[in-house]
Amino acid sequence: MAELFSDAWMKSYMTEWNNEPELSDALAKINFNSRIAYGFDKEDQPRAVITIENGKATAAGSYNGEELNWDLRASAENWQKWIDKGIGMASLGMAYVGGKLKFKTGDYGAMIKDPRMASPFVKSFTVMGRVKA
């Protein structure tokens, strides 16, 4: 069993990311390139990072000081809830406004206003749920 955001978990997440057309193909259409980190809200640094090039995940694993475009933080309990149940657009907005999902790096407002990015972002939570933990 791989622990959430461990190196092994992230490698599985990368595979699942690339296997989901509503995520990888949708982001490829807008030439999305980014380095996205994930972690827990009370920690100084993120736990893990995934590198996206033209919508496809090309690398994933433990965070090692990489420069980030996005750094997403939440409590372990909230991450697990979203991974187990997914998250919709309304729930995402409530999580952000209520401080349950924090963007230490990245512009939530710009992302959520662009459906070409917002829909894949929401889908990424569903894809996390496919990772065997």
Side-chain angles (χ1 to χ4, degrees):
M1 269 168 79
E3 180 184 344
L4 179 62
F5 303 137
S6 68
D7 192 70
W9 193 94
M10 289 302 293
K11 300 247 185 300
S12 294
Y13 180 45
M14 178 174 74
T15 299
E16 295 298 337
W17 178 295
N18 289 334
N19 287 337
E20 177 51 65
E22 289 182 46
L23 183 54
S24 60
D25 292 354
L27 292 173
K29 289 178 184 171
I30 61 169
N31 300 313
F32 182 81
N33 298 296
S34 198
R35 199 168 287 120
I36 307 164
Y38 302 92
F40 301 112
D41 54 2
K42 299 208 185 315
E43 295 181 349
D44 291 337
Q45 300 211 357
R47 293 273 180 113
V49 64
I50 189 167
T51 302
I52 310 301
E53 296 177 4
N54 290 317
K56 300 290 184 188
T58 58
S62 298
Y63 176 71
N64 291 307
E66 298 91 341
E67 187 173 324
L68 303 171
N69 304 99
W70 301 91
D71 183 354
L72 309 176
R73 305 293 184 92
S75 69
E77 297 79 24
N78 281 324
W79 279 121
Q80 199 58 58
K81 178 177 68 172
W82 300 326
I83 288 169
D84 291 344
K85 298 181 180 183
I87 193 168
M89 201 64 76
S91 297
L92 174 64
M94 289 183 350
Y96 176 72
V97 170
K100 291 181 178 181
L101 178 62
K102 297 174 180 71
F103 285 66
K104 289 198 113 178
T105 304
D107 185 349
Y108 172 82
M111 180 272 300
I112 207 70
K113 290 176 187 169
D114 185 346
R116 300 171 311 157
M117 286 177 61
S119 293
F121 180 72
V122 168
K123 188 58 138 182
S124 72
F125 287 86
T126 302
V127 169
M128 284 181 182
R130 296 179 191 159
V131 175
K132 304 298 179 232

